[in-house]
Every structure is written in structure tokens, then in C-alpha cells.
């Protein structure tokens, strides 16, 4: 009887450790994608049949509603351009040249992959691809700025809709920490 209980305990423990490690790998997995430009990370395979099982699982866990790359390319950043983790208590300026895309948007997400609740409903910024990318984030956002939450890390998603063929080879916006 004791041997059977030990075997059941070992199986349950092994399954729990395996599921936990898989979950953690998927939550942190976006950093494993191959396309990088400064702090921005993406994959050409989001939303396509070429995406592997791990890429699909990461998209499912993180809540990206990934369109094929011919329709939209999603870039994710968890650090600023100097490699520091994005801190909700700091103000950031996201700026760069016009993107090779018909429309872009920048959205802030909490570490739970959900929008950061705020009274102003200040979740994202966007414009057409002919305009330079400019967005500001901070815990006390001004008009048109994206809200973050002081004391919590966050991530940014840059969406480029109707991307040009040269988007992945072009310059992406820098994320500059203005103050903390």
C-alpha cells in the first residue's frame, strides 16, 4: 500500500512540475522568437500555417489574435532600448520614423497579457503608416498618452497593419525612458 501511494505521489508531482515548467516556458517564450530589432521581438510565423506548436501555444496563452504576416505584424517589447525592463512607474517615449505599413498602433499590457485598467481608458495610440510613430506612456497619462500602473512591469505591443515587404528590415521605434 505504501509503495502504491509513493508511486501515485511521484506521478502527481511529476505531472505538476511538467505542467508548471511548460506554463512558465510559454509565458516567457516570446523572447525566443527569431526576429529582433532593438527591444522589439516578433516572428514571421504568427498567424500562419508555418507556426510551430510552441509558437501557437504562446500566441494562445498570451492572447494575441494573430493575423497572418501579410495582414499584420506584431512586435513585442518588455524592455526599453537600453535593455531595462519596462517599469509602470516610469514615463517612456516611443518614437521612430514612419513604418512601412498602412496603420500602426502601440498598446500597453500588464504581465497578465491584459490591458492595464485605468480611469481614462488610455490603452493605446496609433496612426497611419505615413506618420512617424510617437507614443508616450506613464502612470499618470496626459491626453492621448498610454496608461501604465506604478510599481508593476508591463509590455508594449506594436502592431503594423498592411505591412510593406521591407518592414522587418526597416528601423523600428526606440523606447526611451524619460523619467521614473
Amino acid at each position: 500500500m505504501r509503495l502504491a501511494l509513493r508511486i501515485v505521489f511521484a506521478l502527481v508531482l511529476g505531472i505538476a512540475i511538467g505542467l508548471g515548467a511548460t506554463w512558465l516556458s510559454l509565458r516567457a517564450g516570446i523572447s525566443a522568437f527569431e526576429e529582433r530589432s532593438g527591444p522589439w521581438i516578433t516572428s514571421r510565423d504568427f498567424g500562419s500555417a508555418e507556426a510551430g506548436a510552441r509558437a501557437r501555444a504562446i500566441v494562445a496563452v498570451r492572447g494575441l489574435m494573430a493575423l497572418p504576416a501579410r495582414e499584420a505584424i506584431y512586435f513585442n517589447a518588455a524592455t526599453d532600448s537600453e535593455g531595462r525592463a519596462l517599469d509602470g512607474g516610469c514615463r517612456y517615449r516611443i518614437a521612430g520614423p514612419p513604418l512601412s505599413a498602412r496603420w500602426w498602433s502601440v498598446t500597453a499590457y500588464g504581465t497578465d497579457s491584459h490591458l492595464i485598467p485605468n480611469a481614462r481608458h488610455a490603452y493605446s495610440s496609433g496612426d497611419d503608416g505615413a506618420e512617424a510613430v510617437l507614443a508616450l506612456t506613464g502612470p499618470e497619462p496626459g491626453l492621448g498618452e498610454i496608461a501604465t500602473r506604478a510599481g508593476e512591469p508591463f509590455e508594449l505591443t506594436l502592431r503594423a497593419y498592411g505591412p510593406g515587404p521591407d518592414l522587418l528590415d526597416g528601423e523600428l521605434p526606440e523606447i526611451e525612458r524619460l523619467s521614473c
Side-chain angles (χ1 to χ4, degrees):
M1 184 69 172
R2 293 183 98 191
L3 179 61
L5 286 175
R6 286 183 182 170
I7 291 172
V8 169
F9 177 75
L11 286 172
V12 169
L13 182 63
I15 291 170
I17 290 172
L19 290 174
T22 301
W23 180 257
L24 290 174
S25 172
L26 295 178
R27 292 291 304 165
I30 205 160
S31 62
F33 290 123
E34 70 278 4
E35 300 289 334
R36 295 174 182 269
S37 178
W40 302 101
I41 301 169
T42 191
S43 171
R44 292 177 194 258
D45 295 337
F46 283 151
S48 73
E50 288 78 30
R54 185 166 187 258
R56 291 177 187 211
I58 290 169
V59 168
V61 167
R62 298 191 52 104
L64 287 174
M65 301 297 283
L67 296 170
R70 67 180 183 284
E71 296 180 33
I73 296 179
Y74 308 83
F75 299 93
N76 197 64
T79 64
D80 64 18
S81 292
E82 294 186 17
R84 298 175 291 208
L86 296 175
D87 181 333
C90 300
R91 285 183 50 83
Y92 294 92
R93 178 176 181 260
I94 300 100
L99 296 176
S100 178
R102 285 184 275 162
W103 181 265
W104 60 262
S105 70
V106 175
T107 307
Y109 292 95
T111 54
D112 61 356
S113 300
H114 290 97
L115 295 172
I116 299 169
N118 65 88
R120 298 184 75 167
H121 305 286
Y123 305 112
S124 68
S125 180
D127 212 328
D128 66 43
E131 299 296 324
V133 175
L134 178 61
L136 295 168
T137 70
E140 297 176 17
L143 188 63
E145 297 181 10
I146 304 167
T148 59
R149 188 178 289 168
E152 295 184 14
F154 70 98
E155 295 182 0
L156 294 169
T157 297
L158 171 64
R159 292 177 177 83
Y161 295 99
D166 57 340
L167 177 65
L168 290 173
D169 300 324
E171 183 180 348
L172 293 177
E174 292 197 8
I175 303 171
E176 177 187 7
R177 183 187 284 186
L178 299 175
S179 63
C180 288

